[in-house]
Amino acid sequence: MPSPVEIEIVPCLSDNYAYLVKTGDVCAVVDPSEPEPVRAALAKRGWTLTHILNTHHHLDHTGGNLTLKEETGAVVVGPAKDAARIPGIDSGVEEGSDWSLGDHKVQVLEVPAHTRGAITFVIDGHAFTGDTLFTLGCGRLFEGDAAMMWASLSKLMKLPDDTKIWCGHEYTQSNGRFALSIEPGNQALKARMDEVNAQRAVGKPTVPATLGLEKQTNPFLRPDSAEIRKSLGMENQDTVAVFHEIRERKNNF
Ligand code: ZN
Ligand code: FE
């Protein structure tokens, strides 16, 4: 029997999330923005850090790497294709890299567009998507175009529907307001936003969400929705064109 996986959400900076992922004797932190909250979360749980995983190079996901590595000797794992931009990297991984965290195989998916090296780690049904797929949103296209991001999101959409999505920021509520503006008739979205608003009113995180729920409610996974297409006046355009327009509208929302 493999050891169970436990996850602790670690709020960092103003709206970032790092995550502790503990299984057996190993404990990884995903995207440590800064060392202090990670240290405090480790102390609270009595866990010893062994790995640092980075989904992409941005400072709000890697800012804690060097200090935490120095303090704990943890191994830094990140995208091989972006090794030059990952502070302290020890092990570069790419799609198909076969490695394990404790008893659990880790699946690496290359999902470029927010950054060209962006990856998602999937561990025991938990997907750490960084700034590629957000709950009710998607990352900005800093190093890729709409077609590249759509391909990356389509890759994530092939994971099982019960996959839990743990993303890099608490953006769900503002993402949801945008989502409702272009798909106001989506009942699943309305119900989800009622829940999100209640969670945020008492300061609770809105992660994780299942991929299945994202498919029903996240406009960036729904460029083929008839209602969204009608809202945008793009009934007959191709999927990438609609996706691109959704991204543009969100940039200006
Ligand atoms: Zn980022
Ligand atoms: Fe970020």
Side-chain angles (χ1 to χ4, degrees):
M1 271 279 286
S3 307
V5 171
E6 287 179 85
I7 295 174
E8 172 84 11
I9 301 173
V10 186
C12 292
L13 303 176
S14 60
D15 55 24
N16 276 79
Y17 287 135
Y19 300 102
L20 298 182
V21 184
K22 162 81 160 50
T23 179
D25 294 335
V26 302
C27 177
V29 61
V30 180
D31 285 354
S33 318
E34 50 178 346
E36 182 46 36
V38 177
R39 241 184 243 134
L42 288 163
K44 183 183 91 179
R45 300 295 296 246
W47 293 347
T48 301
L49 194 69
T50 58
H51 294 76
I52 296 168
L53 313 186
N54 297 126
T55 60
H56 66 293
H57 74 89
H58 285 158
L59 190 61
D60 62 316
H61 300 256
T62 58
N65 277 22
L66 293 179
T67 304
L68 291 168
K69 179 178 174 174
E70 192 179 289
E71 288 174 1
T72 64
V75 175
V76 178
V77 182
K81 287 183 178 152
D82 239 341
R85 299 195 288 180
I86 303 288
I89 192 167
D90 296 298
S91 175
V93 293
E94 49 195 17
E95 195 151 319
S97 285
D98 192 18
W99 66 289
S100 294
L101 189 69
D103 300 336
H104 297 274
K105 279 243 146 58
V106 179
Q107 185 182 5
V108 175
L109 298 174
E110 292 181 1
V111 285
H114 178 67
T115 67
R116 62 179 176 270
I119 56 177
T120 285
F121 297 97
V122 187
I123 306 168
D124 194 38
H126 302 281
F128 298 92
T129 57
D131 292 355
T132 296
L133 174 61
F134 287 125
T135 43
L136 287 179
C138 88
R140 287 177 184 264
L141 308 179
F142 289 129
E143 299 179 11
D145 61 11
M148 189 186 282
M149 182 58 100
W150 177 245
S152 292
L153 294 175
S154 298
K155 190 184 281 187
L156 294 174
M157 287 167 78
K158 291 194 192 108
L159 292 167
D161 276 351
D162 63 356
T163 303
K164 292 193 169 72
I165 305 299
W166 305 83
C167 58
H169 293 264
E170 178 60 63
Y171 289 161
T172 318
Q173 196 171 35
S174 55
N175 285 341
R177 282 188 207 114
F178 169 72
L180 281 171
S181 77
I182 58 169
E183 200 176 21
N186 182 332
Q187 296 303 321
L189 174 59
K190 282 199 247 182
R192 183 177 182 185
M193 276 303 282
D194 288 344
E195 195 181 329
V196 164
N197 290 335
Q199 288 169 311
R200 293 312 294 153
V202 293
K204 278 197 191 151
T206 59
V207 290
T210 64
L211 179 62
L213 183 60
E214 290 302 323
K215 286 183 186 170
Q216 288 172 34
T217 54
N218 184 332
F220 293 95
L221 305 185
R222 301 176 56 75
D224 293 326
S225 148
E227 188 184 1
I228 290 178
R229 284 172 166 256
K230 191 152 186 284
S231 295
L232 303 180
M234 296 181 80
E235 279 98 330
N236 299 315
Q237 307 229 17
D238 71 46
T239 301
V240 170
V242 178
F243 175 80
H244 182 239
E245 181 63 20
I246 297 169
R247 186 59 267 179
E248 290 289 309
R249 298 264 182 136
K250 176 65 168 64
N251 291 346
N252 299 314
F253 184 67

